[in-house]
Amino acid sequence: MLLVKVAPMSAIRSLSWSAAMRDIERDRGQFRPGERAAIARANAFAKMAADRARTGAPLVVGGQYDRRAIMAAAIKAAQARRAVSGEAWGVCLSAALKGVWQVAKAARLAKAH
């Protein structure tokens, strides 16, 4: 004989999708007007600068990183980002160096294979 336990009606919960979606929206990070656009522009300039770094002086010579070329490309990228976003120089240079080093590592890996 199989017994099935039935939950009382008070154990059933309903879900309001509109309230749940409002809670999700409230939990997300809040941005000031124009802040998202500024972040997108800064990221676009960092990507363009990294693309220019690929076509400029080679970042990898003989399997070794050319640190002078990497720094020059990062400075150009940081200047472009700062002109658009107005962020502090350290923030711009940090982001640019991260991007250019990623390009250099990819270039070194591509030359190795």
Side-chain angles (χ1 to χ4, degrees):
M1 177 175 191
L2 178 66
L3 295 174
V4 178
K5 192 173 187 181
V6 179
M9 291 301 284
S10 62
I12 298 173
R13 298 177 64 179
S14 64
L15 176 66
S16 169
W17 284 104
S18 56
M21 294 307 290
R22 278 195 304 269
D23 289 343
I24 290 172
E25 286 293 324
R26 221 176 301 130
D27 289 342
R28 289 185 180 160
Q30 299 296 318
F31 292 95
R32 293 185 300 263
E35 187 175 6
R36 284 185 183 169
I39 291 169
R41 280 193 308 269
N43 290 336
F45 272 94
K47 183 176 167 93
M48 287 184 344
D51 290 340
R52 272 191 233 134
R54 268 190 221 116
T55 60
L59 302 176
V60 178
V61 177
Q64 300 293 319
Y65 295 115
D66 183 356
R67 292 193 169 134
R68 181 173 287 174
I70 290 171
M71 192 64 184
I75 288 172
K76 286 182 183 178
Q79 288 170 341
R81 181 176 175 146
R82 188 166 191 202
V84 171
S85 66
E87 294 173 324
W89 176 250
V91 172
C92 295
L93 186 59
S94 173
L97 278 169
K98 286 177 190 173
V100 173
W101 271 106
Q102 286 177 349
V103 171
K105 289 177 183 178
R108 184 178 180 191
L109 184 63
K111 285 186 181 182
H113 294 298

